[in-house]
């Protein structure tokens, strides 16, 4: 792969034009085009979480589970549980990461930490996660999770 830069004085300030050249269009080219389209909306490398007198900078890959408990939003990592404030949907949006799937009104999981699914008494499922964590998956959200997992 070769990469070249060519200045174009005909473009307006802030404009960028990208041209990809290859013998034929391939899956690799399509993936590169998709990557470039989503470049500005790439997930951040770390997310700050304010909790009491600490600010924790957490890599989203290390987040196993996000769970609402009363007025707190609990962020579960392999090292700790971080109680913070906020809304579940707002945190999912802030993560900008397709690996986080909302599984109930009160929880979202990182599918990279999902180890198995078990049937639950309520007709939904229970997610078994890294660190022996468990959370309920409501029937309303089960279809989205199954689709994301390719089931």
């Amino acid at each position: 792969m070769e990469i070249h830069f060519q200045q174009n004085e005909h473009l307006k300030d802030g404009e960028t034009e990208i041209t990809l050249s290859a013998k034929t269009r391939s899956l690799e080219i399509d993936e590169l085009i998709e990557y470039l389209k989503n470049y500005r909306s790439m997930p951040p490398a770390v997310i700050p979480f304010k909790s009491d007198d600490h600010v924790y900078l957490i890599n989203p890959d290390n987040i196993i589970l996000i769970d609402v408990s009363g007025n707190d939003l609990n962020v579960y990592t392999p090292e700790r549980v971080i109680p913070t404030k906020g809304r579940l949907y707002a945190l999912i949006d802030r993560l900008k990461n397709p690996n986080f799937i909302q599984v109930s009104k009160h929880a979202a999981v990182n599918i990279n930490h999902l180890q198995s699914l078990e049937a639950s008494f309520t007709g939904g499922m229970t997610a078994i996660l890294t660190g022996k964590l468990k959370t309920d998956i409501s029937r309303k959200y089960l279809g989205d999770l199954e689709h994301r997992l390719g089931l």
Side-chain angles (χ1 to χ4, degrees):
M1 178 185 298
E2 293 183 39
I3 299 175
H4 305 278
F5 172 77
Q6 182 177 342
Q7 188 170 341
N8 184 339
E9 295 180 10
H10 298 293
L11 293 174
K12 297 175 185 170
D13 287 344
E15 275 187 333
T16 303
E17 179 180 275
I18 298 173
T19 302
L20 296 173
S21 300
K23 187 171 184 176
T24 60
R25 189 166 180 150
S26 65
L27 178 60
E28 184 180 29
I29 296 294
D30 289 340
E31 288 173 347
L32 185 55
I33 290 169
E34 197 61 32
Y35 175 84
L36 291 168
K37 284 180 183 176
N38 295 318
Y39 174 74
R40 293 236 184 240
S41 62
M42 298 297 283
V46 294
I47 300 283
F49 291 100
K50 188 174 183 180
S51 178
D52 299 327
D53 58 349
H54 285 82
V55 174
Y56 296 97
L57 300 175
I58 304 296
N59 180 326
D61 293 339
N62 291 331
I63 298 172
I64 301 168
L65 169 68
I66 305 163
D67 189 62
V68 176
S69 178
N71 291 328
D72 283 338
L73 200 58
N74 292 313
V75 178
Y76 291 79
T77 71
E79 296 81 29
R80 64 182 56 89
V81 178
I82 303 167
T84 189
K85 300 290 182 203
R87 300 216 177 264
L88 180 61
Y89 74 87
L91 178 52
I92 293 170
D93 286 346
R94 199 168 110 203
L95 287 166
K96 296 180 185 175
N97 190 320
N99 293 328
F100 288 89
I101 305 290
Q102 188 166 352
V103 294
S104 66
K105 210 163 75 171
H106 66 83
V109 299
N110 181 341
I111 62 170
N112 291 328
H113 289 277
L114 182 62
Q115 295 180 333
S116 65
L117 300 173
E118 296 177 354
S120 70
F121 302 113
T122 61
M125 301 286 276
T126 299
I128 310 301
L129 303 157
T130 303
K132 299 181 182 177
L133 292 172
K134 294 182 179 183
T135 191
D136 292 328
I137 303 170
S138 70
R139 286 180 283 178
K140 177 181 176 181
Y141 295 93
L142 184 58
D144 291 342
L145 178 61
E146 287 176 337
H147 177 74
R148 179 64 179 87
L149 294 173
L151 299 175

